[in-house]
Amino acid sequence: MKVLVPVKRVVDYNVKIRVKADNSGVDLANVKMSMNPFDEISVEEAIRLKEAGKATEVVVVSIGPAQAAETIRTALAMGADRGILIKTDEDVQPLAVAKLLKAVVAEEAPGIVIVGKQAIDDDSNQTGQMLSALLGWGQATFASKIVIGDGSADVTREVDGGLETLTLKLPAIVTSDLRLNEPRYASLPNIMKAKKKPLAEKTPADYGVDVAPRLKTLKVEEPPKRSAGIKVPDVATLVAKLKTEAGVI
Ligand code: AMP
């Protein structure tokens, strides 16, 4: 069984985001970019499936600018076998990503696609669900455990009330949540080896997909600044303030 893992290049999670002066978006100049953390978890899970003999090949795909090749190389250094870069400088929104992934699925015929539950830049949490709808495949979102069976997968999901386990007929879409696993670090020898692994380069036009944005961003703003705290002299004043000002009690 082949596993397909989409990996997105996003602003590193440690970076403090700066909004552009004209409020048109986030400033990406000289900002550290990395693989979306949920996609690292998906790559790790796919590699573990291969190590356990449940998968035969791990293919990663990224849609984005030329630099997204670095994100693919990171996945290859972790242990993925092969990469596909669908190169575009457009702002590719989840529907367009899902359409491109559908075309890649048609070519690659994976048994499972492990998508991140959300990209930390747009926080959309849409791509996996849209891909499932476009393909007519079953889906299990927010996975914290995946057990591959014979033609099926048992997926434990993190839901509000606790954990829910679903059985899905394969092929299927799974979206990874934080507690699925802890991704490994790529070792130096594996980083060197990854340079020689195959990385195909395509464009959206190769798949006949129009990636023109369907949504328009009107305005991006910083969150309101928190006002400074105050010190109260004693507990009685604190309780009074909680009652009258915070409405807590
Ligand atoms: P989103 O729906 O934008 O929150 O993204 C959810 C997941 O879809 C991500 O964690 C990735 O696995 C995948 N994805 C979204 N955009 C891209 C992209 N440009 N290239 C590859 N995968 C993507």
Side-chain angles (χ1 to χ4, degrees):
M1 178 180 78
K2 197 188 278 187
V3 187
L4 184 69
V5 184
V7 294
K8 187 177 187 187
R9 179 178 185 264
V10 297
V11 173
D12 188 272
Y13 69 95
N14 283 310
V15 169
K16 183 160 175 352
I17 298 293
R18 285 188 317 263
V19 170
K20 284 186 190 165
D22 64 0
N23 294 104
S24 63
V26 167
D27 191 356
L28 296 182
N30 302 318
V31 166
K32 181 174 181 233
M33 307 289 283
S34 304
M35 190 190 307
N36 182 42
F38 293 104
D39 301 345
E40 274 186 30
I41 294 172
S42 304
V43 172
E44 174 67 33
E45 193 65 17
I47 298 166
R48 289 188 191 186
L49 289 177
K50 191 177 169 198
E51 287 168 348
K54 301 282 182 191
T56 47
E57 192 184 22
V58 178
V59 181
V60 292
V61 53
S62 191
I63 300 143
Q67 298 90 320
E70 293 160 21
T71 313
I72 295 178
R73 290 282 173 215
T74 304
L76 298 177
M78 285 171 73
D81 296 294
R82 171 161 78 76
I84 304 167
L85 168 65
I86 307 179
K87 207 159 107 181
T88 173
D89 289 320
E90 287 265 2
D91 159 36
V92 191
Q93 296 175 347
L95 181 60
V97 173
K99 287 180 182 170
L100 286 166
L101 293 177
K102 181 186 178 211
V104 174
V105 164
E107 255 181 26
E108 297 285 341
I112 190 167
V113 186
I114 311 181
V115 186
K117 79 162 177 182
Q118 74 195 65
I120 62 165
D121 53 358
D122 60 21
D123 273 343
S124 294
N125 178 0
Q126 294 176 1
T127 307
Q129 294 90 326
M130 285 176 167
L131 178 61
S132 151
L134 291 175
L135 288 167
W137 289 7
Q139 63 173 316
T141 50
F142 313 143
S144 59
K145 189 173 175 194
I146 305 175
V147 179
I148 302 290
D150 191 12
S152 68
D154 287 350
V155 181
T156 304
R157 309 181 53 232
E158 299 203 345
V159 293
D160 274 353
L163 298 175
E164 174 190 62
T165 303
L166 300 176
T167 299
L168 298 177
K169 191 159 78 62
L170 296 178
I173 311 293
V174 175
T175 76
S176 51
D177 212 329
L178 207 57
R179 277 163 288 273
L180 183 58
N181 59 49
E182 249 186 59
R184 70 195 66 190
Y185 288 104
S187 65
L188 192 58
N190 286 346
I191 293 172
M192 303 310 288
K193 267 192 232 158
K195 295 188 181 174
K196 297 210 176 83
K197 290 188 178 175
L199 200 174
E201 209 178 287
K202 305 269 191 177
T203 66
D206 293 336
Y207 296 101
V209 173
D210 167 17
V211 294
R214 300 291 198 277
L215 304 169
K216 192 171 153 207
T217 302
L218 299 180
K219 198 174 182 190
V220 177
E221 287 177 295
E222 302 265 359
K225 294 245 180 312
R226 277 183 63 175
S227 47
I230 55 160
K231 275 191 183 163
V232 289
D234 49 41
V235 174
T237 319
L238 174 66
V239 172
K241 281 197 177 294
L242 287 174
K243 268 190 196 157
T244 53
E245 292 175 28
V248 177
I249 304 174

